[in-house]
């Protein structure tokens, strides 16, 4: 049984004998850090001891050098404790508690930690035993034994500073700390001075760059080959130069781009599909290695776009890199050359933006271009759920799920896309709340709006808004609410109203997604079951 299955099993099964004197558990962040799961793991809950959880040996990866536990005294009177941590191995330094080894369990929820630094002298799996004894009464002692398996790797060179500090006698540590602090301050002063000098040099360089860029140049669109590329394109194509991202830390992103890069001469633009202030979406084609021409959607920016906008296009456009699912639109190729805007190529199968498609379904002087039935709406919602489930299994959060970031074909097949250029192409859907960041305020979960925290549950909130968009043919949510008042509006319990002609069953699913507490929102599996059952009921009457 793998760790994920074990933890799911351990969270559910708890011994029924409750005394209500103690909580001891791993919080959401700790379980996510150790096991990559969105859950809490209780060893003792309201006095009930989870023996299954105690018997489970939790693996601790080499990159994690500390453990965290959350506990709380529920008894209403002092609960004395003693903690002993043992680990005998040359691969691990003696574990250290950040609290005293004996004392009383705190009466409010608090976190204590145990440091587990590896020595780097040997590679080993070190078994760590944590003994926690809690005196419930004079004749009642609760003993909890928790085990961890710490992975340590051998380093080619062990940091000498660590060995020296740990081997020093206690009376000399304070003196060395003083000298260390003085030395650190001196280094910081030197670094600050270097930073000022570098800033001055960089500023002068930027001024020269601006002067150079302001010289008359031809648009990157006018330098593109207009004719169909022949099978001998390799002979005429220039080699692709390196491209420096604004975010130098994004080394992984640069490696991904390198894998997908094609020469610019293999790409041909046909017509503009969408256009914003600086963003453009084209219909075009590119020639494959087999000299076969393939129709694609091309995302790019205009020649006056800033480096920040170019960097955002690449980062957000590459977020769906190497994904393979029928309900996810993954990037196909990238074309980058010096002094031109990057091209991001996506597969095209007669698809169109979902929001624009829904808006065209509304009544117009020419009539109705397409009438969506409730059955079709539910089927489209189920496809979105399948796509989000796939993303979450790949440990990816979308963070901007909406109809504007989906595409649909003539058979109403949905694909979830990235949010590259969305802020520019759909400016009315994004707002800045004084933090210099455009966000989809009216699609955000309450915790994302207040604290900028995102999780699978925040994606589920956004799915509820997307479902509301499907039933209203892409009306603007909360159109009467000022963006600055959204947080207060949601905290007071207000939500989107039930759309006209929206079945109660469908609106109940939306409302379920907008629970104030993230933990009370449904899982994607629960949403899938509810919508699938409703879809089955609808098909019986067709």
């Amino acid at each position: 049984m793998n760790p994920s299955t074990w933890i799911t099993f351990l969270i559910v099964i708890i011994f029924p004998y409750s005394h209500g004197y103690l909580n001891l558990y791993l919080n959401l962040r700790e379980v996510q850090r150790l096991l990559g799961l969105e859950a809490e793991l209780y060893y003792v809950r309201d006095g009930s001891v989870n023996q299954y959880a105690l018997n489970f040996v939790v693996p601790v990866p080499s990159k994690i050098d500390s453990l965290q536990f959350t506990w709380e005294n529920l008894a209403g009177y002092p609960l004395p404790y003693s903690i002993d941590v043992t680990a005998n191995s040359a691969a691990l330094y003696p574990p250290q508690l950040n609290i005293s080894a004996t004392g009383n369990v705190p009466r409010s929820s608090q976190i204590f930690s145990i440091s587990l630094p590896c020595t780097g002298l040997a590679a080993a799996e070190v078994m760590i035993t944590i003994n926690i004894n809690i005196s419930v009464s004079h004749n009642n002692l609760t003993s909890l034994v928790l085990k961890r398996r710490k992975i340590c790797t051998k380093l080619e060179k062990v940091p000498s500073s660590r060995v020296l500090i740990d081997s020093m006698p206690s009376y000399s540590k304070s003196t060395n700390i003083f000298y260390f602090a003085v030395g650190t301050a001196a280094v910081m002063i030197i670094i600050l001075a270097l930073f000022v000098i570098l800033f001055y040099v960089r500023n002068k360089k930027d001024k020269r760059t601006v002067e150079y860029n302001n010289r008359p140049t031809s648009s990157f669109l006018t330098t593109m080959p207009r004719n169909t590329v022949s099978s001998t394109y390799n002979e005429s194509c220039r080699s692709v130069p390196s491209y420096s991202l604004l975010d130098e830390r994004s080394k992984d992103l640069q490696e991904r781009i390198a894998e997908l890069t094609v020469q610019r001469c293999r790409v041909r633009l046909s017509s503009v599909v969408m256009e914003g202030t600086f963003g453009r979406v084209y219909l075009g084609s590119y020639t494959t290695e087999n000299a076969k021409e393939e129709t694609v959607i091309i995302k790019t920016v205009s020649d006056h776009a800033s480096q920040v906008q170019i960097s955002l296009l690449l980062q957000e456009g590459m977020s769906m890199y190497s994904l393979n699912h029928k309900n996810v639109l993954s990037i196909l190729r990238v074309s980058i050359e010096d002094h031109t805007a990057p091209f991001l190529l996506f597969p095209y199968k007669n698809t169109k933006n979902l929001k624009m498609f829904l808006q065209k379904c509304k009544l117009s002087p020419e009539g109705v271009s397409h009438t969506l039935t409730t059955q079709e709406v539910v089927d489209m919602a189920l496809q979105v759920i399948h796509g989000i489930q796939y993303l979450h299994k790949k440990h990816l959060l979308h963070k901007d799920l909406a109809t504007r970031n989906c595409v649909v074909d003539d058979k109403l097949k949905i694909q979830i896309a990235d949010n590259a250029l969305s802020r520019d192409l759909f400016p009315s859907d994004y707002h800045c709340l004084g933090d210099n960041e455009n966000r989809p305020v009216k699609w955000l979960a309450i915790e994302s709006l207040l604290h900028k925290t995102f999780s699978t549950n925040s994606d589920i909130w956004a799915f509820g808004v997307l479902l509301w968009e499907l039933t209203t043919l892409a009306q603007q949510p909360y159109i009467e609410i000022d963006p600055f008042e959204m947080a207060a509006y949601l905290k007071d319990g207000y939500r989107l109203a039930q759309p006209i002609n929206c079945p109660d069953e469908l609106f109940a699913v939306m409302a379920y997604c907008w629970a104030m507490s993230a933990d009370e929102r449904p899982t994607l599996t629960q949403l899938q079951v509810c919508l699938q059952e409703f879809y089955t009921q609808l098909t019986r009457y067709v």
Side-chain angles (χ1 to χ4, degrees), residues 192-206:
L192 183 61
L194 289 172
F195 178 81
V196 172
I197 295 171
L198 287 173
F199 179 81
Y200 176 76
V201 174
R202 177 69 179 271
N203 192 38
K204 291 187 68 176
K205 182 180 178 181
D206 286 346

Side-chain angles (χ1 to χ4, degrees), residues 414-428:
I414 303 290
Q415 286 184 303
I416 300 170
D418 56 69
N419 65 333
L421 301 181
S422 290
R423 296 176 186 85
D424 183 55
L425 299 175
F426 299 94
S428 61

